[in-house]
Structure formats: C-alpha cells, structure tokens
C-alpha cells in the first residue's frame, strides 16, 4: 500500500465514490512503520504520534483508530 498523506482532493473524490482507499488502514500502517505496533500510554509519546499523523493529513477519527 502507498504510504502518503491524504490530499484534500481525495475528500471530494471519496464523497463521490471515485476513490476506494481504506484511509484507516493506511493511517495504521504508517503509524506501525514509524513507531511500531506497541500501544503507548504515555501522553508525551502519544501526542508525538498524533502530531505525526496529523501532519500527514489524517483526521482525528482515523488517528485514534490507528493508535488503538
């Protein structure tokens, strides 16, 4: 799977059924490749992972799913 950010144009394309991408799986894959598969409980590390995924363009809903 391609590991990239979610450009805004994909929001429009997804809304019209033109793109079939599992953004939740992509966020999880990117999180695991960067930070590993361990679920962290420390606030500092969790915030670091959240900021990283936000920077890549994922929504908070996708990010919290990826971190769990």
């Amino acid at each position: 799977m391609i590991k990239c950010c979610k450009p805004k144009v994909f929001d429009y394309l997804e809304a019209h059924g033109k793109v079939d991408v599992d953004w939740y799986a992509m966020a999880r894959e990117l999180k695991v490749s960067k930070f590993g598969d361990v679920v962290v409980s420390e606030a500092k590390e969790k915030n670091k992972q959240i900021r990283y995924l936000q920077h890549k363009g994922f929504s908070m809903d996708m990010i919290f799913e990826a971190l769990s």
Side-chain angles (χ1 to χ4, degrees):
M1 181 168 279
I2 299 170
K3 294 179 182 173
C4 65
C5 61
K6 179 183 175 186
K8 297 291 182 191
V9 71
F10 279 106
D11 290 333
Y12 173 82
L13 293 173
E14 277 187 319
H16 291 87
K18 302 198 185 263
V19 176
D20 187 27
V21 176
D22 186 357
W23 293 106
Y24 290 89
M26 188 177 285
R28 175 79 177 149
E29 215 174 276
L30 190 58
K31 182 263 180 196
V32 169
S33 70
K34 177 78 174 180
F35 300 104
D37 200 24
V38 178
V39 177
V40 295
S41 59
E42 295 177 5
K44 185 177 179 180
E45 183 63 27
K46 190 172 187 176
N47 289 337
K48 181 180 178 181
Q49 293 179 12
I50 289 170
R51 282 191 309 274
Y52 176 75
L53 292 171
Q54 281 179 323
H55 177 72
K56 294 296 183 181
F58 294 102
S59 68
M60 290 305 290
D61 186 42
M62 293 175 195
I63 293 170
F64 284 124
E65 183 71 26
L67 294 179
S68 62

